[in-house]
Amino acid sequence: MLTYSRLAALHAATGDRHVLNVYVDATVLDSVARRSWRRTLAAGIVAARKALADAPHGERAEFERAADRVVTQAAQLPDDLDGAPGWAAFVAGDELLYAGPTHKAPRPSVAWRLGIAPAAYLRLIDADGD
């Protein structure tokens, strides 16, 4: 889990770079549906890709590298995320900036934007998270 200071450093370092921000909620209690986060992730990547239809070729290519990296990371995870309520990842191009479990369930989202989305992650950090 990222600490507040590491989150702030990532935010400062990525403000001018496109970053794929991924938040996965894995709190579904039904053991069969525990893997539903994978479908949600895949659908989020498809939606983000469609939103980039009119973006320059270079940006679309950068998104595809980031999406491939996220999919590769997610493929290595167990369906139940080892009991973690969620997972978050930040990828810029083919550079994995961070990927790891969360201590609270995040609101599921996949967003391609400049920099990381720190507000969403701040809600996941405990008061003593630094």
Side-chain angles (χ1 to χ4, degrees), residues 1 22-29 34 37 81 83-88 100-109 119-126:
M1 180 104 189
V22 174
Y23 292 95
V24 168
D25 177 355
T27 58
V28 177
L29 297 177
R34 278 293 271 195
W37 66 265
L81 292 178
W87 184 73
T102 60
H103 296 300
K104 297 177 185 173
R107 180 174 180 220
S109 69
Y121 201 92
L122 279 173
R123 290 188 288 271
L124 305 174
I125 297 176
D126 293 327

Side-chain angles (χ1 to χ4, degrees), residues 44-59:
I45 289 172
V46 168
R49 182 179 290 122
K50 285 180 181 177
L52 288 171
D54 294 329
H57 173 74
E59 183 178 347

